[in-house]
Amino acid sequence: MSCLPFLAEGRVVKGFGRGSKQLGIPTANFTQDVVDTMPTDMIEGVYYGLANVDGGSVSRMVMSVGHNLHFANAMRTMETHILRSFADDFYGGLLRVMVLGFIREMESYTSLDALIAAIHSDIDIANKALSEERFASCYDSDFFKHGFAVVTNGRAVQSDGTSS
């Protein structure tokens, strides 16, 4: 996929509240301004990569990109599940993501349990891929250390979530 790697940063905002409550899989959500910077060839689906919050440690992540067919979302979203635990919510925190690979297209499921099982499978795929040597240097990327503006699809996304 020619749009990868894709880098984005912005403030974490409240989403639909389903990740933690219904799925047991908390997600961090970007503002719509950041979502709107996604490349046009970034198809709806599930991706893997790396993320950090407020300049902290870099962790693996999976990200749902799109309208989320199971819940029939009207708006396109980027919902990031960071593969580590956090003691507290980090709404308003600065989230940086580096999207490195594609797992699958978005699907609708017959039950919540089927969706949860698919997400756990996505996590397994992400963990396997991100343990490959080709991604080792990504953990030390200046993007995670310094929070510079990132130009993507002709638009710079600033750390406050605004774009130019």
Side-chain angles (χ1 to χ4, degrees), residues 33-61:
D33 286 350
V34 176
V35 175
D36 291 344
T37 68
M38 284 188 289
T40 55
D41 63 339
M42 191 169 187
I43 64 172
E44 295 194 2
V46 179
Y47 293 80
Y48 63 84
L50 302 173
N52 76 345
V53 178
D54 291 331
S57 63
V58 176
S59 301
R60 295 172 180 177
M61 64 86 173

Side-chain angles (χ1 to χ4, degrees), residues 49-87:
L50 302 173
N52 76 345
V53 178
D54 291 331
S57 63
V58 176
S59 301
R60 295 172 180 177
M61 64 86 173
V62 292
M63 177 187 286
S64 170
V65 172
H67 291 88
N68 197 322
L69 298 175
H70 186 79
F71 293 107
N73 290 359
M75 293 179 14
R76 193 172 192 204
T77 61
M78 293 169 62
E79 299 179 71
T80 305
H81 174 61
I82 302 173
L83 303 182
R84 74 177 192 90
S85 296
F86 290 85

Side-chain angles (χ1 to χ4, degrees), residues 90-110:
F90 47 87
Y91 295 118
L94 179 61
L95 174 64
R96 293 187 183 105
V97 297
M98 178 183 288
V99 182
L100 297 168
F102 180 74
I103 297 174
R104 62 177 172 83
E105 289 187 17
M106 199 68 79
E107 297 177 33
S108 185
Y109 294 90
T110 56

Side-chain angles (χ1 to χ4, degrees), residues 70-161:
H70 186 79
F71 293 107
N73 290 359
M75 293 179 14
R76 193 172 192 204
T77 61
M78 293 169 62
E79 299 179 71
T80 305
H81 174 61
I82 302 173
L83 303 182
R84 74 177 192 90
S85 296
F86 290 85
D88 297 305
D89 288 336
F90 47 87
Y91 295 118
L94 179 61
L95 174 64
R96 293 187 183 105
V97 297
M98 178 183 288
V99 182
L100 297 168
F102 180 74
I103 297 174
R104 62 177 172 83
E105 289 187 17
M106 199 68 79
E107 297 177 33
S108 185
Y109 294 90
T110 56
S111 70
L112 214 50
D113 287 339
L115 172 59
I116 293 167
I119 294 169
H120 285 289
S121 175
D122 298 336
I123 291 168
D124 291 343
I125 292 167
N127 276 323
K128 182 177 180 186
L130 292 166
S131 66
E132 295 175 11
E133 184 62 32
R134 65 188 171 124
F135 294 123
S137 64
C138 296
Y139 290 83
D140 295 320
S141 170
D142 284 341
F143 172 69
F144 293 118
K145 295 175 186 174
H146 304 295
F148 52 85
V150 178
V151 176
T152 306
N153 204 21
R155 298 174 69 184
V157 180
Q158 308 298 323
S159 61
D160 66 358

